[in-house]
């Protein structure tokens, strides 16, 4: 599972936390091109689903294909890939047309999982982790889409005290650390922390926790926002534990999410693959493969992601006009984000036990538009467009005629709230309707307030800004970057745990917004964003208190305003009471020095560089809870209209 560009990538929906888009035959109210990124709802589907793509069959016969994971290509979503294991002999990479682009043939490979933006001493990498004689860590290239082993051991694998039938990754919302869970047919589970302790760009693993579930286990998934670890005990059901390494793992510290039909549940044994679909505000879905004893009885069970994981629906991936279905499914994965024309709302992948159509062959994986299985809150793709946000060429020009390269930095900090009075929970999560396991103290009330911010302007290949000293654990952090060319942007470093909300590219400008729930150690730290070429850029951070402790961004929209148009923020539906709204305007020209804000907002940052093609950016918030059902349409003035502008609306959820 690759969470949201949080993008949370096995099963990650990124709306609110990362732009989720879509297709399909369900009710959708489309808006004109000016509404790019506006929130919409895709209704919960009914009935079964058909795949539209299948991968090349694996090379080995019999029960071979096993577990898929989706890697999201931020630069060109249609160039995303599926990584799957042939447990009889290889690890394989497929494009979204189902064609094999890499095969690493070296004997048994266990389950596989992916996380983007892992920080190493040589820069951020996207991790593909599998079991191969221990934990084996690969980096996936953003350009070639091929895997290379970066495990920091002489054997190329991290030795573990258990087999590796099942495996899943977890990025802690408490401190941003990345962990891998491995489990075996004996029911033994081990949790390792992945690090690059010696800063050599290679990954080590340290055992943090191990325990025994009971009987045979395999499928597992962890929720990077809510802090839960789910695991399938094949003949029993699905268990839910705290994913934090210091949490207890005894039988009284776990919850049974669902059980087999013989015990009164919904699962036709075996309970197998698990994945998560991330949606705004901690909502979404836990999805499970009910493998059953026959191809036709197999189904996908959908549960709510939040609270006690209530049952939602049961569906099959069936034979359709383009492929056969998924029978006796083992591994599954899902990612709710625009992945190009074939999967504009996201994708679900399942292993097929019996590959019969369009021609019979060895086992393979089927690719299904995600909205055919679950309802989604989605950001709309316009019906007609005048700009594009993907597959744009990289502009490596460092300066344009008349450029100068001056640097300026401004910082503002105010503190208006009092320290929280409630201590963080210290006990294990309860076994019914548990709250998220976290050590972040809750705010004193549901009221959101502005804490502080900082801004830096420069022409450079790496841009930095210092976190305000007033940052406290539990605060929401928004990091906002605007650049004057299309250089590739790396994940932030120096302060860990960021998840990308979304990005936008048009003309010769790019903007990116990240979110994070602060930990105490973030105060006063320097966050750094590296680019592939020198750019003039504005980098800002704003801090709010009293926001959600799991997913501060509840909804968002962004749009490129072409030259000759006013810079009006997109309108976003307000999902709940008590929210605040953040507005962000960016502008590229050679004369503007600041933007004039509209009425009714509190400006938190408004600055620029000097010289030609400079970026001027302004960040403001509502200064109080939003009392209307939608927010946006705010116009910043004072800039020439001869260059494109990017405008954003971001809605912050209360705690």
């Amino acid at each position: 599972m690759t969470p949201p560009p949080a993008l949370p990538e096995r099963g990650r929906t990124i709306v609110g936390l990362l732009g989720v888009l879509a297709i399909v035959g369900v009710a959708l109210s489309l808006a004109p091109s000016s509404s790019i990124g506006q929130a919409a709802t895709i209704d919960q589907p009914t009935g079964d689903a058909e795949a539209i793509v299948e991968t090349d069959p694996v090379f080995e016969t019999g029960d071979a294909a096993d577990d898929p994971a989706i890697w999201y290509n931020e630069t060109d979503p249609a160039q995303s890939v599926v990584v799957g294991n042939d447990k009889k002999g290889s690890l394989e990479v497929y494009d979204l047309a189902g064609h094999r682009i890499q095969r690493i043939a070296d004997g048994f490979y266990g389950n596989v999982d992916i996380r983007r933006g892992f920080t190493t001493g040589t820069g951020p990498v996207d991790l593909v982790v599998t079991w191969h004689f221990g934990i084996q860590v690969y980096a996936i290239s953003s350009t070639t889409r091929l895997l290379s082993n970066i495990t920091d051991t002489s054997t190329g694998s991290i030795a573990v005290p258990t087999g590796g039938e099942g495996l899943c990754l977890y990025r802690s919302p408490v401190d941003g650390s990345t962990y891998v869970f491995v489990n075996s047919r004996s029911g033994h589970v081990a949790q390792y922390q992945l690090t690059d302790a010696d800063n050599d760009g290679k990954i080590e693993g340290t055992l943090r926790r191990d325990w025994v579930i009971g009987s045979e286990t395999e499928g597992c998934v962890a929720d990077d926002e809510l802090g839960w670890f789910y695991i399938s005990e094949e003949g029993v059901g699905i268990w839910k534990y705290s994913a934090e390494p210091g949490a207890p793992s005894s039988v009284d510290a776990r919850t049974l999410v669902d059980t087999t039909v013989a015990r009164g549940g919904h699962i036709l044994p075996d309970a197998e693959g698990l994945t998560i679909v991330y949606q705004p505000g901690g909502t979404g879905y836990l999805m499970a493969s009910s493998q059953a004893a026959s191809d036709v009885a197999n189904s996908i069970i959908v549960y709510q992601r939040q609270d006690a994981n209530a049952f939602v629906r049961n569906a099959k991936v069936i034979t359709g006009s383009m492929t056969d279905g998924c029978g006796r499914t083992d591994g599954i994965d899902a990612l709710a984000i625009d992945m190009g024309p074939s999967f504009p709302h996201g994708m679900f992948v399942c292993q097929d036990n019996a590959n019969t159509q369009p021609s019979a062959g060895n086992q393979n994986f089927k690719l299904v538009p995600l909205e055919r299985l679950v309802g989604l809150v989605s950001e709309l793709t316009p019906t007609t467009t005048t700009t594009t946000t993907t597959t744009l060429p990289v502009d490596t020009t460092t300066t344009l005629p008349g450029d100068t390269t001056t640097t300026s930095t401004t910082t503002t900090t105010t503190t208006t709230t009092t320290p929280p009075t409630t201590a963080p929970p210290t006990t294990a999560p309860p076994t019914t309707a548990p709250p998220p396991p976290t050590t972040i103290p809750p705010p004193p009330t549901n009221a959101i307030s502005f804490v502080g911010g900082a801004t830096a302007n420069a022409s450079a290949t790496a841009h930095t800004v210092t976190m305000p000293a007033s940052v406290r654990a539990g605060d929401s952090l928004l990091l906002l970057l605007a650049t004057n060319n299309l250089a590739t942007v790396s994940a932030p470093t120096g302060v860990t745990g960021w998840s990308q909300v979304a990005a936008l590219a048009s003309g010769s400008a790019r903007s990116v917004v990240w979110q994070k729930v602060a930990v105490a150690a973030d105060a006063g730290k320097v966050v750094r964003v590296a680019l592939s070429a020198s750019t003039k850029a504005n980098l800002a951070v704003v801090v709010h208190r009293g926001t959600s402790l799991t997913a501060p961004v509840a909804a968002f929209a962004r749009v490129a305003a072409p030259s000759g148009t006013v810079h009006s923020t997109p309108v976003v539906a307000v999902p709940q009471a008590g929210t605040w709204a953040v507005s962000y305007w960016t502008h590229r020209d050679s004369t503007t020095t600041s933007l004039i804000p509209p009425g009714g907002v509190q400006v938190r940052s408004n600055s620029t560089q000097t010289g030609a093609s400079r970026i001027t950016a302004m960040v403001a918030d509502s200064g109080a809870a939003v009392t209307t059902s939608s927010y946006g349409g705010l116009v910043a003035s004072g800039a020439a209209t001869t260059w494109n502008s990017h405008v954003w609306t971001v809605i912050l959820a209360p705690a």
Side-chain angles (χ1 to χ4, degrees):
M1 180 206 74
T2 307
L7 238 82
E9 254 160 31
R10 183 167 196 138
R12 171 193 196 105
T13 291
I14 307 175
V15 154
L17 195 22
L18 309 0
V20 184
L21 309 176
I23 66 177
V24 308
V26 288
L28 231 181
S29 176
L30 290 176
S33 60
S34 61
S35 64
I36 296 173
Q38 290 186 1
T41 298
I42 301 176
D43 292 341
Q44 191 69 242
T46 59
D48 297 325
E50 297 177 6
I52 62 172
V53 175
E54 63 178 348
T55 66
D56 295 335
V58 297
F59 279 48
E60 302 296 332
T61 60
D63 186 18
D66 194 52
D67 185 57
I70 303 166
W71 174 74
Y72 173 71
N73 187 327
E74 180 183 6
T75 303
D76 184 352
Q79 295 299 307
S80 302
V81 301
V82 173
V83 181
N85 67 323
D86 174 348
K87 60 188 176 186
K88 289 189 175 182
S90 62
L91 188 64
E92 311 205 335
V93 183
Y94 305 92
D95 63 22
L96 296 192
H99 301 309
R100 181 182 290 105
I101 61 177
Q102 186 181 17
R103 181 172 186 259
I104 303 172
D106 191 25
F108 175 83
Y109 283 85
N111 289 2
V112 59
D113 205 356
I114 294 173
R115 286 296 185 278
R116 300 173 66 251
F118 182 91
T119 301
T120 75
T122 58
V125 296
D126 292 354
L127 298 185
V128 178
V129 183
T130 186
W131 194 95
H132 184 63
F133 304 111
I135 298 167
Q136 199 164 75
V137 184
Y138 292 85
I140 184 167
S141 167
S142 60
T143 54
T144 67
R145 301 180 293 172
L146 303 180
L147 308 181
S148 57
N149 192 326
I150 58 168
T151 314
D152 199 1
T153 65
S154 59
T155 63
S157 297
I158 299 165
V160 299
T162 179
E165 190 76 6
L167 178 144
C168 56
L169 291 169
Y170 170 60
R171 181 170 289 160
S172 169
V174 176
D175 62 6
S177 298
T178 299
Y179 301 91
V180 55
F181 293 93
V182 290
N183 61 82
S184 68
R185 291 185 176 181
S186 66
H188 189 176
V189 183
Q191 181 177 5
Y192 278 75
Q193 184 175 358
L194 299 180
T195 58
D196 178 18
D198 53 3
N199 293 316
D200 64 351
K202 295 186 176 182
I203 309 303
E204 310 89 23
T206 304
L207 180 65
R208 297 302 186 197
R209 181 169 58 153
D210 71 315
W211 73 99
V212 175
I213 296 289
S215 57
E216 183 174 354
T217 60
E218 182 179 353
C220 67
V221 70
D223 190 320
D224 289 4
E225 293 176 5
L226 302 183
W228 294 118
F229 169 65
Y230 299 90
I231 187 167
S232 294
E233 186 176 4
E234 296 190 357
V236 176
I238 302 167
W239 293 106
K240 177 179 182 178
Y241 293 80
S242 169
E244 287 300 306
S249 49
S250 58
V251 294
D252 58 353
R254 65 185 186 180
T255 301
L256 187 61
V257 172
D258 197 6
T259 188
T260 61
V261 291
R263 300 167 183 253
H266 300 90
I267 301 168
L268 288 171
D270 292 337
E272 286 285 351
L274 298 171
T275 190
I276 289 173
V277 175
Y278 291 81
Q279 294 282 266
T283 64
Y285 307 98
L286 170 70
M287 303 178 74
S289 170
S290 173
Q291 190 178 58
S294 70
D295 292 331
V296 295
N298 174 90
S299 67
I300 304 301
I301 305 177
V302 180
Y303 308 91
Q304 288 183 355
R305 175 182 167 221
Q306 64 271 30
D307 303 323
N309 305 109
F311 173 81
V312 175
R313 68 185 297 257
N314 205 324
K316 295 180 173 65
V317 177
I318 59 173
T319 297
S321 60
M322 303 177 73
T323 78
D324 58 324
C326 283
R328 296 194 67 190
T329 296
D330 198 326
I332 59 175
D333 198 8
L335 183 60
I337 190 170
D338 177 10
M339 298 180 68
S342 296
F343 303 97
H345 298 281
M347 186 172 69
F348 175 83
V349 185
C350 51
Q351 178 260 358
D352 180 22
N353 174 69
N355 179 27
T356 59
Q357 292 184 18
S359 59
N362 293 338
Q363 294 182 351
N364 65 355
F365 302 97
K366 307 300 199 249
L367 281 56
V368 184
L370 181 58
E371 71 281 5
R372 296 185 178 185
L373 285 165
V374 295
L376 297 169
V377 176
S378 173
E379 122 191 320
L380 296 180
T381 304
T383 53
T384 59
T385 61
T386 56
T387 61
T388 177
T389 60
T390 59
T391 64
L392 293 172
V394 174
D395 178 0
T396 57
T397 304
T398 56
T399 57
L400 295 176
D403 271 2
T404 59
T405 55
T406 61
T407 300
S408 65
T409 301
T410 61
T411 302
T412 60
T413 300
T414 62
T415 302
T416 59
T417 58
T418 56
T421 57
T422 305
T426 57
T427 59
T431 57
T432 58
T438 175
T439 58
I440 298 171
T445 72
N446 270 0
I448 296 175
S449 61
F450 176 70
V451 174
T455 307
N457 294 277
S459 179
T461 55
H463 297 265
T464 61
V465 69
T466 301
M467 306 295 290
S470 52
V471 168
R472 283 212 311 257
D475 291 345
S476 70
L477 310 177
L478 288 182
L479 184 66
L480 310 101
L481 174 74
T483 70
N484 76 340
N485 65 37
L486 296 177
T488 301
V489 178
S490 298
T493 59
V495 174
T496 61
W498 297 98
S499 61
Q500 183 175 297
V501 175
L504 183 60
S506 65
S508 297
R510 186 188 298 276
S511 57
V512 188
V513 174
W514 294 271
Q515 69 170 332
K516 173 180 165 31
V517 176
V519 297
D522 292 339
K525 278 191 174 180
V526 175
V527 60
R528 178 179 186 271
V529 179
L531 298 101
S532 61
S534 181
T535 69
K536 287 185 178 179
N538 177 282
L539 183 64
V541 63
V542 290
V543 185
H544 291 83
R545 190 160 295 157
T547 48
S548 168
L549 298 179
T550 56
V553 175
F556 73 95
R558 79 279 199 209
V559 63
S563 60
T565 61
V566 296
H567 304 335
S568 178
T569 58
V571 177
V572 177
V574 175
Q576 65 190 104
T579 62
W580 275 38
V582 175
S583 302
Y584 182 37
W585 297 265
T586 79
H587 181 82
R588 180 182 186 269
D589 72 2
S590 302
T591 59
T592 303
T593 57
S594 65
L595 298 172
I596 301 172
V601 299
Q602 298 295 317
V603 175
R604 307 306 183 186
S605 173
N606 190 359
S607 61
T608 190
Q609 309 88 44
T610 61
S613 302
R614 59 179 176 256
I615 290 289
T616 305
M618 180 168 65
V619 184
D621 61 39
S622 55
V626 176
T627 58
T628 54
S629 60
S630 62
Y631 190 91
L634 306 180
V635 177
S637 57
T641 57
T642 54
W643 290 91
N644 287 347
S645 172
H646 291 178
V647 281
W648 294 64
T649 300
V650 178
I651 304 296
L652 297 178

